Amino acid sequence: MDHAADAHRTDLMTITRFVLNEQSKHPESRGDFTILLSHIVLGCKFVCTAVNKAGLAKLIGLAGETNVQGEEQKKLDVLSNEVFIKALVSSGRTSILVSEEDEEATIVEKSKRGRYCVVFDPLDGSSNIDCGVSIGTIFGIYALNDGHEPSLDDVLQPGKNMLAAGYCMYGSSCTLVLSTGGGVNGFTLDPSLGEFILTHPDIKIPKKGKIYSVNEGNAKNWDGPTAKYVEQCKFPKDGSSPKSLRYIGSMVADVHRTLLYGGIFLYPADKKSPNGKLRVLYEVFPMSFLMEQAGGQAFTGKQRALDLVPKKIHERSPIFLGSYDDVEEIKALYAAEEKKE
């Protein structure tokens, strides 16, 4: 990359311009989707600023204290949740919101309803805030079936029905990765402009990777195929080099690295969590959608992840996602296991 030339580039593809360009390819569109996305982007910018100040707020005694108005300073994940709920409701384009932070789905009041449902995790990996590890927001968007009262059935759909999905990672830079169903694009927040600029056009995951990412602390509770796969990563039988292990423990950061460098991210079911740990609607589905759009795969141990039909909004599922060939290997191990049974 020619950084000197980049520094003086004047033709910047902002996320707003990018989404408007996409919109112009659909003459029938009314711009609702564009408006909804701009509200999500605003939420991400707000949370990015809040995350960057988190340590300072603690330093000067804000977290957990009561401010002048008598309001208690909110924890970051609660704050992020409120920011996104308010941004999404005020867009006037949503009918149902499902958040990781809220037990129940939020049904938007009639006067502010629109044709979309949004599922999101406002601050994934928030337990990592204090040690400076990257955290992020994950979201997925469904279209509402027209002409009826919004109900949970509108969000309890398989992931393949999603219109768009993405995440925003708050790390050394603030990066938003988005797919509207025609490939995956990455944008980086330029703080001097306050705009997300296209920095990673048309992301494609390598067909095979050299990295595996899993919490090996759970190894004693794994099932056969997972244990066998990780063994193969460390001690390949075909004479190839062993894979490197990288595990951050923040899904957004682990998936982001997998998307850019290739490899596989695993959060399998085990004896302790027989249904896996990651939530289907706002973790497994959006990340699986992005992986497939980038040419990778996502598998639950039983089926393609995006074919799963959730029965509850906070349902969990095992997940194996990443480079096409790497996920093929784990699929073969599960198929062999099934044959034995």
Side-chain angles (χ1 to χ4, degrees), residues 5-25:
D6 271 359
H8 299 290
R9 261 197 11 231
T10 48
D11 183 27
L12 297 173
M13 177 61 83
T14 65
I15 194 163
T16 314
R17 180 175 153 197
F18 180 85
V19 172
L20 285 168
N21 283 358
E22 288 298 300
Q23 184 191 318
S24 64
K25 295 175 192 168

Side-chain angles (χ1 to χ4, degrees), residues 128-311:
N128 286 320
I129 292 168
D130 289 345
C131 62
V133 168
S134 298
I135 50 183
T137 300
I138 310 172
F139 61 90
I141 303 172
Y142 287 107
L144 195 68
N145 304 321
D146 277 343
H148 70 89
E149 274 296 300
S151 73
L152 280 188
D153 291 343
D154 292 309
V155 285
L156 294 175
Q157 301 188 50
K160 61 182 177 193
N161 294 356
M162 273 186 176
L163 290 185
Y167 60 79
C168 187
M169 186 173 76
Y170 315 111
S172 52
S173 58
C174 179
T175 312
L176 195 147
V177 174
L178 173 71
S179 174
T180 52
V184 182
N185 291 280
F187 303 83
T188 303
L189 184 63
D190 181 335
S192 61
L193 295 172
E195 284 281 7
F196 279 101
I197 308 295
L198 181 65
T199 48
H200 295 72
D202 197 22
I203 297 171
K204 289 277 176 265
I205 184 169
K207 197 152 186 299
K208 193 171 176 56
K210 298 187 174 102
I211 298 173
Y212 73 104
S213 185
V214 65
N215 182 352
E216 289 222 35
N218 294 331
K220 78 180 178 90
N221 295 319
W222 286 344
D223 61 14
T226 298
K228 205 175 278 179
Y229 180 76
V230 171
E231 188 71 9
Q232 279 177 19
C233 289
K234 295 197 266 198
F235 305 99
K237 302 263 194 314
D238 58 4
S240 59
S241 300
K243 283 184 170 21
S244 294
L245 168 65
R246 296 282 182 274
Y247 187 69
I248 299 165
S250 174
M251 189 193 192
V252 174
D254 278 313
V255 170
H256 186 66
R257 183 203 54 246
T258 306
L259 197 58
L260 295 183
Y261 299 165
I264 187 166
F265 169 82
L266 314 86
Y267 209 117
D270 58 32
K271 294 187 189 104
K272 219 170 41 183
S273 317
N275 298 321
K277 192 109 178 273
L278 298 176
R279 270 67 53 108
V280 172
L281 273 182
Y282 41 79
E283 290 175 329
V284 170
F285 278 171
M287 294 310 201
S288 300
F289 186 92
L290 290 166
M291 275 300 162
E292 287 201 3
Q293 285 292 324
Q297 289 196 79
F299 177 64
T300 66
K302 292 190 171 74
Q303 64 189 123
R304 173 189 175 212
L306 292 180
D307 287 339
L308 199 63
V309 183
K311 297 191 174 49

